[in-house]
Coordinates of all heavy atoms in Angstrom, one line a residue:
M31 N -24.9 -24.1 4.4 CA -24.2 -23.2 5.3 C -25.0 -23.1 6.6 O -26.2 -22.9 6.6 CB -24.0 -21.8 4.6 CG -23.4 -20.8 5.5 SD -22.9 -19.3 4.7 CE -24.4 -18.5 4.3
K32 N -24.3 -23.2 7.7 CA -24.9 -23.0 9.0 C -25.1 -21.6 9.3 O -24.3 -20.7 9.0 CB -24.0 -23.6 10.1 CG -24.0 -25.1 10.1 CD -23.1 -25.6 11.2 CE -23.1 -27.1 11.2 NZ -22.3 -27.7 12.3
R33 N -26.3 -21.3 9.9 CA -26.6 -19.9 10.3 C -26.5 -19.8 11.8 O -27.1 -20.7 12.5 CB -28.0 -19.6 9.9 CG -28.1 -18.5 8.9 CD -29.5 -18.2 8.4 NE -30.5 -18.1 9.5 CZ -31.8 -18.2 9.4 NH1 -32.3 -18.3 8.2 NH2 -32.6 -18.1 10.4
P34 N -25.8 -18.8 12.3 CA -25.7 -18.7 13.8 C -27.1 -18.4 14.3 O -27.9 -17.7 13.7 CB -24.8 -17.6 14.0 CG -24.7 -16.8 12.8 CD -25.1 -17.8 11.7
I35 N -27.4 -18.9 15.5 CA -28.7 -18.6 16.1 C -28.6 -17.4 17.0 O -27.5 -17.1 17.5 CB -29.3 -19.8 16.9 CG1 -28.4 -20.1 18.1 CG2 -29.4 -21.0 16.1 CD1 -29.1 -21.0 19.1
T36 N -29.7 -16.7 17.3 CA -29.7 -15.7 18.3 C -30.8 -16.1 19.3 O -31.9 -16.5 18.9 CB -30.1 -14.3 17.6 OG1 -29.1 -13.9 16.7 CG2 -30.3 -13.2 18.6
I37 N -30.4 -16.0 20.5 CA -31.3 -16.4 21.6 C -32.1 -15.1 22.0 O -31.5 -14.1 22.3 CB -30.6 -17.0 22.8 CG1 -30.0 -18.3 22.3 CG2 -31.5 -17.2 24.0 CD1 -29.1 -19.0 23.4
I38 N -33.4 -15.3 22.1 CA -34.3 -14.2 22.5 C -34.5 -14.4 24.0 O -34.9 -15.4 24.5 CB -35.6 -14.2 21.8 CG1 -35.4 -14.1 20.3 CG2 -36.5 -13.0 22.3 CD1 -34.7 -12.9 19.8
I39 N -34.3 -13.3 24.8 CA -34.5 -13.3 26.2 C -35.7 -12.3 26.5 O -35.6 -11.2 26.1 CB -33.3 -12.9 27.0 CG1 -32.1 -13.8 26.7 CG2 -33.5 -12.8 28.5 CD1 -30.8 -13.3 27.2
D40 N -36.7 -12.8 27.2 CA -37.8 -12.0 27.5 C -37.4 -10.8 28.3 O -36.5 -10.9 29.2 CB -38.9 -12.8 28.3 CG -40.2 -12.0 28.5 OD1 -40.9 -11.9 27.5 OD2 -40.4 -11.4 29.6
T41 N -38.0 -9.6 28.1 CA -37.7 -8.4 28.8 C -37.9 -8.5 30.2 O -37.4 -7.7 31.0 CB -38.4 -7.2 28.2 OG1 -39.8 -7.5 28.2 CG2 -38.0 -6.9 26.7
R42 N -38.8 -9.4 30.7 CA -39.2 -9.5 32.1 C -38.2 -10.4 32.8 O -38.3 -10.5 34.1 CB -40.6 -10.0 32.3 CG -41.6 -8.9 31.7 CD -42.9 -9.5 31.4 NE -42.8 -10.4 30.3 CZ -43.8 -10.9 29.6 NH1 -45.0 -10.6 29.9 NH2 -43.6 -11.7 28.5
E43 N -37.4 -11.1 32.1 CA -36.4 -12.0 32.8 C -35.3 -11.2 33.5 O -34.6 -10.4 32.9 CB -35.7 -12.9 31.7 CG -34.7 -13.9 32.3 CD -35.3 -15.0 33.1 OE1 -36.5 -15.0 33.5 OE2 -34.6 -16.0 33.4
Q44 N -35.3 -11.3 34.8 CA -34.4 -10.4 35.6 C -33.0 -10.8 35.7 O -32.1 -10.0 35.5 CB -35.0 -10.3 37.0 CG -36.3 -9.6 37.1 CD -36.9 -9.5 38.5 OE1 -36.3 -9.8 39.4 NE2 -38.2 -9.2 38.5
L45 N -32.7 -12.0 35.9 CA -31.3 -12.5 36.0 C -31.1 -13.5 34.9 O -31.0 -14.7 35.1 CB -31.0 -13.1 37.4 CG -31.1 -12.2 38.6 CD1 -31.0 -13.0 39.9 CD2 -30.1 -11.1 38.5
A46 N -30.9 -13.0 33.7 CA -30.9 -13.9 32.5 C -29.6 -14.7 32.4 O -28.6 -14.3 32.9 CB -31.0 -13.0 31.2
Y47 N -29.8 -15.9 31.9 CA -28.6 -16.7 31.5 C -27.7 -16.0 30.6 O -28.2 -15.1 29.8 CB -29.0 -18.0 30.8 CG -29.7 -19.1 31.7 CD1 -30.7 -19.8 31.2 CD2 -29.2 -19.4 33.0 CE1 -31.3 -20.8 32.0 CE2 -29.7 -20.4 33.7 CZ -30.8 -21.1 33.2 OH -31.4 -22.1 34.0
T48 N -26.4 -16.3 30.6 CA -25.5 -15.8 29.6 C -25.2 -17.0 28.7 O -25.1 -18.1 29.1 CB -24.2 -15.2 30.2 OG1 -23.6 -16.2 31.0 CG2 -24.6 -14.0 31.1
F49 N -24.9 -16.7 27.4 CA -24.6 -17.7 26.4 C -23.3 -17.3 25.7 O -23.4 -16.5 24.8 CB -25.8 -17.8 25.4 CG -27.1 -18.2 26.1 CD1 -27.9 -17.2 26.5 CD2 -27.5 -19.5 26.3 CE1 -29.1 -17.5 27.1 CE2 -28.7 -19.8 26.9 CZ -29.5 -18.8 27.3
D50 N -22.2 -17.8 26.2 CA -20.9 -17.4 25.6 C -20.8 -17.7 24.1 O -21.1 -18.8 23.7 CB -19.8 -18.2 26.3 CG -19.6 -17.8 27.8 OD1 -20.0 -16.7 28.2 OD2 -19.0 -18.6 28.5
G51 N -20.5 -16.6 23.4 CA -20.4 -16.7 22.0 C -21.7 -16.8 21.2 O -21.6 -16.9 20.0
V52 N -22.8 -16.7 21.9 CA -24.1 -16.8 21.2 C -24.8 -15.4 21.3 O -25.0 -15.0 22.5 CB -25.0 -17.9 21.7 CG1 -26.3 -17.9 21.0 CG2 -24.3 -19.3 21.6
P53 N -25.1 -14.8 20.2 CA -25.8 -13.5 20.4 C -27.2 -13.6 21.0 O -27.9 -14.6 20.9 CB -25.9 -13.0 18.9 CG -25.6 -14.2 18.1 CD -24.9 -15.2 18.9
T54 N -27.5 -12.6 21.8 CA -28.8 -12.6 22.5 C -29.5 -11.2 22.1 O -28.8 -10.3 21.8 CB -28.7 -12.7 24.0 OG1 -27.9 -11.6 24.5 CG2 -28.1 -14.1 24.4
E55 N -30.8 -11.2 22.3 CA -31.6 -10.0 22.0 C -32.7 -10.0 23.1 O -33.3 -11.0 23.3 CB -32.2 -10.1 20.6 CG -32.9 -8.9 20.2 CD -33.4 -9.0 18.7 OE1 -32.5 -9.4 17.9 OE2 -34.6 -8.8 18.5
R56 N -32.9 -8.9 23.7 CA -34.0 -8.7 24.6 C -35.3 -8.3 23.9 O -35.2 -7.3 23.1 CB -33.7 -7.6 25.6 CG -32.7 -8.1 26.6 CD -33.4 -8.6 27.8 NE -32.4 -8.9 28.9 CZ -32.8 -9.3 30.1 NH1 -34.1 -9.5 30.3 NH2 -32.0 -9.6 31.0
R57 N -36.4 -9.0 24.1 CA -37.6 -8.6 23.5 C -38.8 -9.3 24.3 O -38.5 -10.4 24.9 CB -37.6 -8.9 22.0 CG -38.5 -9.9 21.5 CD -38.6 -10.1 20.0 NE -37.5 -9.6 19.2 CZ -37.3 -10.0 18.0 NH1 -38.1 -11.0 17.4 NH2 -36.4 -9.6 17.3
K58 N -39.9 -8.7 24.3 CA -41.1 -9.3 25.0 C -41.5 -10.6 24.2 O -41.7 -10.6 23.0 CB -42.2 -8.4 25.0 CG -43.4 -8.9 25.8 CD -44.6 -7.9 25.8 CE -45.8 -8.4 26.5 NZ -46.4 -9.6 25.9
L59 N -41.6 -11.7 25.0 CA -42.0 -12.9 24.4 C -43.5 -13.2 24.9 O -43.8 -12.9 26.0 CB -41.1 -14.1 24.9 CG -39.7 -14.1 24.3 CD1 -38.9 -15.1 25.0 CD2 -39.7 -14.4 22.8
E60 N -44.3 -13.8 24.0 CA -45.6 -14.1 24.4 C -45.7 -15.3 25.4 O -46.6 -15.4 26.2 CB -46.5 -14.4 23.2 CG -46.6 -13.2 22.2 CD -47.3 -12.0 22.9 OE1 -48.2 -12.2 23.6 OE2 -46.8 -10.9 22.7
A61 N -44.7 -16.1 25.3 CA -44.6 -17.3 26.3 C -43.2 -17.6 26.6 O -42.3 -17.5 25.8 CB -45.3 -18.5 25.6
G62 N -43.0 -17.8 27.9 CA -41.6 -18.3 28.3 C -40.7 -17.1 28.5 O -41.0 -15.9 28.3
D63 N -39.5 -17.5 28.9 CA -38.4 -16.6 29.2 C -37.3 -16.6 28.1 O -36.6 -15.6 28.0 CB -37.7 -17.0 30.5 CG -38.6 -16.9 31.7 OD1 -39.3 -16.0 31.8 OD2 -38.6 -17.9 32.5
Y64 N -37.3 -17.6 27.3 CA -36.2 -17.7 26.3 C -36.9 -18.4 25.0 O -37.8 -19.2 25.1 CB -35.1 -18.6 26.7 CG -34.4 -18.1 27.9 CD1 -34.8 -18.5 29.2 CD2 -33.3 -17.2 27.8 CE1 -34.2 -18.0 30.3 CE2 -32.7 -16.7 29.0 CZ -33.1 -17.1 30.2 OH -32.5 -16.6 31.3
S65 N -36.3 -18.0 23.9 CA -36.7 -18.6 22.6 C -35.5 -18.4 21.6 O -34.4 -18.0 22.0 CB -38.0 -18.0 22.0 OG -38.4 -18.8 21.0
V66 N -35.8 -18.7 20.4 CA -34.8 -18.6 19.3 C -35.3 -17.6 18.3 O -36.5 -17.8 17.9 CB -34.4 -20.0 18.7 CG1 -33.4 -19.8 17.6 CG2 -33.9 -20.9 19.8
L67 N -34.5 -16.7 17.9 CA -34.9 -15.7 16.9 C -35.5 -16.4 15.6 O -34.9 -17.3 15.1 CB -33.8 -14.8 16.5 CG -34.1 -13.7 15.4 CD1 -35.1 -12.7 16.1 CD2 -32.8 -13.0 15.0
G68 N -36.7 -16.0 15.3 CA -37.4 -16.6 14.1 C -38.2 -17.9 14.4 O -38.9 -18.3 13.6
L69 N -38.0 -18.3 15.6 CA -38.8 -19.5 16.1 C -39.6 -19.3 17.3 O -39.9 -20.2 18.1 CB -37.8 -20.7 16.3 CG -37.0 -21.2 15.1 CD1 -36.0 -22.2 15.5 CD2 -37.9 -21.7 14.0
E70 N -39.9 -18.0 17.6 CA -40.6 -17.6 18.8 C -42.0 -18.3 18.9 O -42.5 -18.5 20.0 CB -40.8 -16.1 18.9 CG -39.5 -15.4 19.0 CD -38.9 -14.9 17.7 OE1 -39.2 -15.5 16.6 OE2 -38.1 -14.0 17.7
D71 N -42.6 -18.7 17.7 CA -43.8 -19.3 17.7 C -43.7 -20.9 17.8 O -44.7 -21.6 17.7 CB -44.7 -18.9 16.5 CG -44.0 -19.2 15.2 OD1 -42.8 -19.4 15.2 OD2 -44.7 -19.2 14.2
V72 N -42.4 -21.3 18.0 CA -42.2 -22.8 18.0 C -41.5 -23.2 19.3 O -41.9 -24.2 19.9 CB -41.3 -23.2 16.8 CG1 -40.9 -24.6 16.9 CG2 -41.9 -22.8 15.5
V73 N -40.5 -22.4 19.7 CA -39.6 -22.8 20.9 C -39.9 -21.9 22.0 O -39.9 -20.7 21.9 CB -38.1 -22.7 20.5 CG1 -37.2 -23.0 21.6 CG2 -37.8 -23.7 19.3
C74 N -40.0 -22.5 23.2 CA -40.3 -21.8 24.4 C -39.6 -22.4 25.6 O -39.8 -23.6 25.8 CB -41.8 -21.7 24.7 SG -42.2 -21.0 26.2
V75 N -38.8 -21.7 26.4 CA -38.2 -22.2 27.6 C -38.6 -21.3 28.8 O -38.4 -20.1 28.7 CB -36.7 -22.2 27.5 CG1 -36.1 -22.7 28.8 CG2 -36.2 -23.1 26.3
E76 N -39.3 -21.9 29.7 CA -39.6 -21.2 31.0 C -38.7 -21.6 32.1 O -38.5 -22.8 32.3 CB -41.1 -21.5 31.4 CG -41.5 -20.9 32.7 CD -41.8 -19.4 32.6 OE1 -41.9 -18.9 31.5 OE2 -41.8 -18.8 33.7
R77 N -38.1 -20.6 32.7 CA -37.0 -20.9 33.7 C -37.6 -20.6 35.1 O -38.1 -19.6 35.3 CB -35.8 -20.1 33.4 CG -34.7 -20.1 34.4 CD -33.7 -19.1 34.0 NE -32.7 -18.9 35.1 CZ -32.0 -17.8 35.2 NH1 -32.0 -16.9 34.3 NH2 -31.1 -17.7 36.2
K78 N -37.4 -21.6 36.0 CA -37.8 -21.4 37.4 C -36.8 -21.9 38.4 O -36.3 -23.0 38.2 CB -39.1 -22.2 37.7 CG -40.3 -21.8 36.9 CD -40.9 -20.6 37.5 CE -42.2 -20.2 36.7 NZ -42.5 -18.8 37.0
N79 N -36.4 -21.1 39.4 CA -35.6 -21.6 40.5 C -36.6 -22.2 41.5 O -37.9 -22.1 41.3 CB -34.7 -20.6 41.1 CG -35.4 -19.5 41.8 OD1 -36.5 -19.7 42.4 ND2 -34.9 -18.3 41.6
L80 N -36.2 -23.0 42.5 CA -37.1 -23.7 43.3 C -38.0 -22.7 44.1 O -39.2 -23.0 44.3 CB -36.3 -24.6 44.3 CG -35.7 -25.8 43.7 CD1 -35.0 -26.7 44.7 CD2 -36.8 -26.7 42.9
D81 N -37.5 -21.6 44.6 CA -38.3 -20.6 45.3 C -39.5 -20.1 44.4 O -40.6 -20.1 44.8 CB -37.5 -19.5 45.8 CG -36.6 -19.8 46.9 OD1 -36.9 -20.8 47.6 OD2 -35.6 -19.1 47.1
D82 N -39.1 -19.8 43.1 CA -40.1 -19.3 42.2 C -41.1 -20.4 41.8 O -42.3 -20.1 41.7 CB -39.4 -18.8 40.9 CG -40.3 -18.0 40.0 OD1 -41.3 -17.5 40.4 OD2 -39.9 -17.9 38.8
L83 N -40.6 -21.6 41.6 CA -41.5 -22.7 41.3 C -42.5 -22.9 42.4 O -43.7 -23.0 42.2 CB -40.8 -24.0 41.0 CG -41.6 -25.2 40.7 CD1 -42.4 -25.0 39.4 CD2 -40.8 -26.5 40.6
A84 N -42.1 -22.9 43.7 CA -43.0 -23.1 44.8 C -44.0 -22.0 44.9 O -45.2 -22.3 45.0 CB -42.2 -23.2 46.1
K85 N -43.5 -20.8 44.7 CA -44.5 -19.6 44.7 C -45.5 -19.7 43.5 O -46.7 -19.5 43.7 CB -43.7 -18.3 44.6 CG -44.5 -17.1 44.6 CD -43.7 -15.8 44.5 CE -44.6 -14.6 44.4 NZ -43.8 -13.4 44.0
S86 N -45.0 -20.2 42.4 CA -45.9 -20.3 41.2 C -46.9 -21.4 41.4 O -48.0 -21.2 40.9 CB -45.0 -20.6 40.0 OG -44.2 -19.6 39.6
L87 N -46.6 -22.4 42.1 CA -47.5 -23.5 42.3 C -48.5 -23.3 43.5 O -49.6 -23.9 43.5 CB -46.8 -24.9 42.5 CG -46.0 -25.3 41.3 CD1 -45.1 -26.6 41.7 CD2 -46.9 -25.6 40.1
I88 N -48.1 -22.4 44.4 CA -48.9 -22.3 45.6 C -49.6 -20.9 45.6 O -50.9 -20.9 45.6 CB -48.0 -22.4 46.9 CG1 -47.4 -23.8 47.0 CG2 -48.8 -22.1 48.2 CD1 -46.3 -23.9 48.0
T89 N -48.9 -19.8 45.6 CA -49.6 -18.5 45.7 C -49.9 -17.9 44.4 O -50.9 -17.1 44.3 CB -48.8 -17.5 46.5 OG1 -47.5 -17.3 45.9 CG2 -48.6 -18.0 48.0
D90 N -49.2 -18.2 43.3 CA -49.4 -17.5 42.0 C -49.9 -18.6 41.0 O -49.6 -18.5 39.8 CB -48.2 -16.9 41.5 CG -47.8 -15.6 42.2 OD1 -48.7 -15.1 42.9 OD2 -46.6 -15.2 42.1
R91 N -50.6 -19.6 41.5 CA -51.0 -20.8 40.7 C -51.8 -20.4 39.4 O -51.5 -20.9 38.3 CB -51.8 -21.7 41.5 CG -52.1 -23.0 40.8 CD -52.8 -24.0 41.8 NE -53.1 -25.3 41.1 CZ -52.2 -26.2 41.0 NH1 -50.9 -26.1 41.5 NH2 -52.5 -27.4 40.4
E92 N -52.8 -19.5 39.5 CA -53.6 -19.1 38.4 C -52.7 -18.5 37.3 O -52.9 -18.7 36.1 CB -54.8 -18.3 38.8 CG -55.8 -19.0 39.5 CD -56.4 -20.2 38.7 OE1 -56.6 -20.1 37.4 OE2 -56.5 -21.3 39.2
R93 N -51.8 -17.6 37.7 CA -50.9 -16.9 36.8 C -50.0 -17.9 36.1 O -49.8 -17.9 34.9 CB -50.1 -15.8 37.5 CG -49.3 -14.9 36.5 CD -48.7 -13.8 37.4 NE -47.6 -14.4 38.1 CZ -46.3 -14.1 37.9 NH1 -45.9 -13.4 36.8 NH2 -45.3 -14.6 38.6
F94 N -49.5 -18.9 36.9 CA -48.6 -19.9 36.3 C -49.3 -20.8 35.3 O -48.8 -21.1 34.2 CB -48.0 -20.7 37.4 CG -47.0 -21.8 37.0 CD1 -45.8 -21.4 36.3 CD2 -47.3 -23.1 37.2 CE1 -44.9 -22.4 35.8 CE2 -46.4 -24.1 36.8 CZ -45.2 -23.7 36.1
L95 N -50.6 -21.2 35.7 CA -51.3 -22.0 34.8 C -51.7 -21.3 33.5 O -51.7 -21.9 32.4 CB -52.6 -22.5 35.5 CG -52.4 -23.5 36.6 CD1 -53.7 -23.8 37.3 CD2 -51.7 -24.8 36.1
K96 N -51.9 -20.0 33.6 CA -52.1 -19.2 32.4 C -50.9 -19.2 31.5 O -51.0 -19.4 30.2 CB -52.5 -17.8 32.8 CG -52.9 -16.9 31.6 CD -53.3 -15.5 32.1 CE -53.6 -14.6 31.0 NZ -54.0 -13.2 31.4
A97 N -49.7 -19.1 32.1 CA -48.5 -19.1 31.3 C -48.3 -20.5 30.7 O -47.8 -20.6 29.5 CB -47.3 -18.8 32.2
V98 N -48.6 -21.6 31.4 CA -48.4 -22.9 30.9 C -49.4 -23.1 29.7 O -49.0 -23.8 28.7 CB -48.7 -24.0 32.0 CG1 -48.8 -25.4 31.4 CG2 -47.6 -23.9 33.0
R99 N -50.6 -22.6 29.8 CA -51.5 -22.7 28.7 C -51.0 -22.1 27.4 O -51.2 -22.6 26.3 CB -52.9 -22.1 29.1 CG -53.7 -23.1 30.0 CD -55.1 -22.5 30.2 NE -55.6 -23.0 31.5 CZ -55.5 -22.3 32.6 NH1 -55.1 -21.1 32.6 NH2 -56.0 -22.8 33.8
R100 N -50.3 -20.9 27.6 CA -49.7 -20.3 26.4 C -48.6 -21.1 25.9 O -48.5 -21.3 24.6 CB -49.2 -18.9 26.8 CG -50.2 -17.8 26.9 CD -49.6 -16.4 27.0 NE -48.6 -16.3 28.0 CZ -48.8 -15.9 29.3 NH1 -50.0 -15.6 29.7 NH2 -47.8 -15.8 30.2
M101 N -47.9 -21.8 26.7 CA -46.8 -22.6 26.3 C -47.3 -23.9 25.6 O -46.7 -24.4 24.6 CB -45.9 -23.1 27.5 CG -45.1 -22.0 28.1 SD -44.3 -22.4 29.7 CE -43.2 -23.7 29.1
E102 N -48.5 -24.4 26.0 CA -49.0 -25.6 25.4 C -49.4 -25.4 23.9 O -49.5 -26.3 23.1 CB -50.3 -26.0 26.1 CG -50.1 -26.6 27.4 CD -51.3 -27.0 28.1 OE1 -52.3 -26.3 28.0 OE2 -51.3 -28.0 28.9
E103 N -49.5 -24.1 23.5 CA -49.8 -23.8 22.1 C -48.6 -23.9 21.2 O -48.7 -23.9 19.9 CB -50.4 -22.4 22.0 CG -51.7 -22.2 22.7 CD -52.1 -20.8 22.7 OE1 -51.5 -19.9 22.1 OE2 -53.1 -20.5 23.4
L104 N -47.4 -24.1 21.8 CA -46.2 -24.1 21.0 C -45.7 -25.6 20.8 O -45.9 -26.4 21.8 CB -45.1 -23.3 21.6 CG -45.4 -21.8 21.8 CD1 -44.2 -21.2 22.6 CD2 -45.6 -21.2 20.5
P105 N -45.1 -26.0 19.7 CA -44.6 -27.3 19.5 C -43.5 -27.8 20.5 O -43.5 -28.9 20.9 CB -44.1 -27.4 18.1 CG -44.8 -26.2 17.4 CD -45.0 -25.2 18.5
L106 N -42.6 -26.9 20.8 CA -41.5 -27.2 21.7 C -41.4 -26.3 22.9 O -41.0 -25.1 22.8 CB -40.2 -27.1 20.9 CG -40.0 -28.0 19.7 CD1 -38.8 -27.6 18.9 CD2 -40.0 -29.5 20.1
A107 N -42.0 -26.7 24.0 CA -42.0 -25.9 25.2 C -41.5 -26.7 26.4 O -42.0 -27.9 26.6 CB -43.4 -25.4 25.4
V108 N -40.7 -26.1 27.2 CA -40.2 -26.8 28.4 C -40.1 -25.8 29.6 O -40.0 -24.6 29.4 CB -38.8 -27.4 28.2 CG1 -38.8 -28.5 27.1 CG2 -37.7 -26.4 27.9
V109 N -40.2 -26.4 30.8 CA -40.0 -25.6 32.0 C -38.7 -26.2 32.6 O -38.6 -27.4 32.9 CB -41.1 -25.8 33.0 CG1 -40.8 -25.1 34.3 CG2 -42.4 -25.3 32.5
V110 N -37.7 -25.3 32.7 CA -36.4 -25.7 33.3 C -36.4 -25.3 34.8 O -36.6 -24.2 35.1 CB -35.2 -25.0 32.6 CG1 -33.9 -25.3 33.3 CG2 -35.2 -25.4 31.1
V111 N -36.2 -26.3 35.7 CA -36.2 -26.1 37.1 C -34.8 -26.1 37.6 O -34.1 -27.1 37.4 CB -37.1 -27.1 37.9 CG1 -37.1 -26.8 39.4 CG2 -38.6 -27.0 37.3
E112 N -34.4 -25.0 38.2 CA -33.0 -24.9 38.7 C -33.0 -25.5 40.2 O -33.3 -24.7 41.1 CB -32.5 -23.5 38.7 CG -32.4 -22.9 37.3 CD -32.1 -21.4 37.3 OE1 -32.4 -20.8 38.3 OE2 -31.6 -20.9 36.3
G113 N -32.7 -26.7 40.3 CA -32.7 -27.4 41.6 C -32.7 -28.9 41.4 O -33.0 -29.4 40.3
S114 N -32.5 -29.6 42.5 CA -32.4 -31.0 42.4 C -33.6 -31.7 43.1 O -34.3 -31.0 43.9 CB -31.1 -31.6 43.0 OG -31.2 -31.4 44.4
L115 N -33.9 -32.9 42.8 CA -34.9 -33.6 43.5 C -34.6 -33.7 45.0 O -35.5 -33.7 45.8 CB -35.1 -35.0 42.9 CG -35.7 -35.1 41.5 CD1 -35.7 -36.6 41.0 CD2 -37.1 -34.6 41.5
E116 N -33.3 -33.8 45.3 CA -32.9 -33.8 46.7 C -33.3 -32.5 47.4 O -33.8 -32.5 48.5 CB -31.4 -34.0 46.8 CG -31.0 -34.1 48.3 CD -29.4 -34.4 48.4 OE1 -28.9 -34.9 47.5 OE2 -28.9 -34.0 49.4
D117 N -33.1 -31.4 46.7 CA -33.5 -30.1 47.3 C -35.0 -30.0 47.5 O -35.5 -29.5 48.6 CB -33.1 -28.9 46.3 CG -31.6 -28.7 46.2 OD1 -30.9 -29.0 47.2 OD2 -31.2 -28.1 45.2
I118 N -35.8 -30.5 46.6 CA -37.2 -30.6 46.7 C -37.6 -31.5 47.9 O -38.4 -31.1 48.8 CB -37.9 -31.0 45.4 CG1 -37.7 -30.0 44.3 CG2 -39.4 -31.2 45.7 CD1 -38.0 -30.4 43.0
A119 N -37.0 -32.6 48.0 CA -37.4 -33.6 49.0 C -37.1 -33.1 50.4 O -37.8 -33.4 51.4 CB -36.6 -34.9 48.8
H120 N -36.0 -32.2 50.5 CA -35.6 -31.7 51.8 C -36.2 -30.3 52.1 O -35.8 -29.6 53.0 CB -34.1 -31.7 51.9 CG -33.6 -33.1 52.1 ND1 -33.1 -33.8 51.0 CD2 -33.4 -33.8 53.2 CE1 -32.7 -35.0 51.4 NE2 -32.9 -35.0 52.8
G121 N -37.1 -29.8 51.2 CA -37.7 -28.5 51.4 C -36.8 -27.4 51.3 O -37.0 -26.4 51.9
R122 N -35.8 -27.5 50.5 CA -34.8 -26.4 50.3 C -35.3 -25.3 49.3 O -34.7 -25.2 48.2 CB -33.4 -26.9 49.9 CG -32.8 -27.8 51.0 CD -31.4 -28.3 50.5 NE -31.0 -29.4 51.4 CZ -30.5 -30.5 50.9 NH1 -30.3 -30.7 49.6 NH2 -30.1 -31.5 51.8
F123 N -36.4 -24.7 49.6 CA -36.9 -23.7 48.7 C -37.7 -22.7 49.6 O -37.9 -23.0 50.8 CB -37.8 -24.2 47.6 CG -38.8 -25.2 48.1 CD1 -40.1 -24.7 48.5 CD2 -38.6 -26.6 48.1 CE1 -41.1 -25.6 48.9 CE2 -39.6 -27.4 48.5 CZ -40.8 -27.0 48.9

């Protein structure tokens, strides 16, 4: 029998994704912005728009690297960047 998943959204995530038909729950995550209920120590998704990514790499680099180190401890961790390579190449951030 398939069990429905619940997506965990970190309490610090300001403009959270919506997931039609999928239950969500707000809770503080140790790493990332999103995870799956019961798999918080396995799955981690960090979400960055281009402005936030640029800020994280330039002015908040140490804080970002600390977050990446926490993510490295998990088996499944990704950073989702909202933007295209074209946007980056043309400095649209």
Side-chain angles (χ1 to χ4, degrees):
M31 176 168 74
K32 290 184 182 180
R33 243 177 47 195
I35 66 167
T36 298
I37 296 174
I38 303 299
I39 303 170
D40 187 79
T41 54
R42 295 161 291 196
E43 180 71 347
Q44 294 178 10
L45 298 171
Y47 284 140
T48 57
F49 302 90
D50 291 340
V52 178
T54 61
E55 184 177 310
R56 286 266 187 181
R57 115 171 22 159
K58 182 180 180 295
L59 292 170
E60 295 303 316
D63 297 316
Y64 300 89
S65 190
V66 177
L67 182 63
L69 298 174
E70 296 92 339
D71 59 343
V72 176
V73 176
C74 169
V75 176
E76 175 72 19
R77 173 184 168 200
K78 296 282 184 199
N79 64 41
L80 288 181
D81 290 336
D82 191 21
L83 180 64
K85 181 180 175 191
S86 294
L87 294 174
I88 298 168
T89 59
D90 290 339
R91 186 174 183 83
E92 286 305 314
R93 188 175 73 108
F94 182 63
L95 291 175
K96 185 177 176 182
V98 169
R99 285 188 207 96
R100 283 192 307 269
M101 292 173 63
E102 286 177 327
E103 297 174 7
L104 303 176
L106 301 171
V108 298
V109 176
V110 174
V111 178
E112 298 172 337
S114 68
L115 290 175
E116 182 179 335
D117 289 336
I118 294 169
H120 290 91
R122 297 183 192 132
F123 51 86

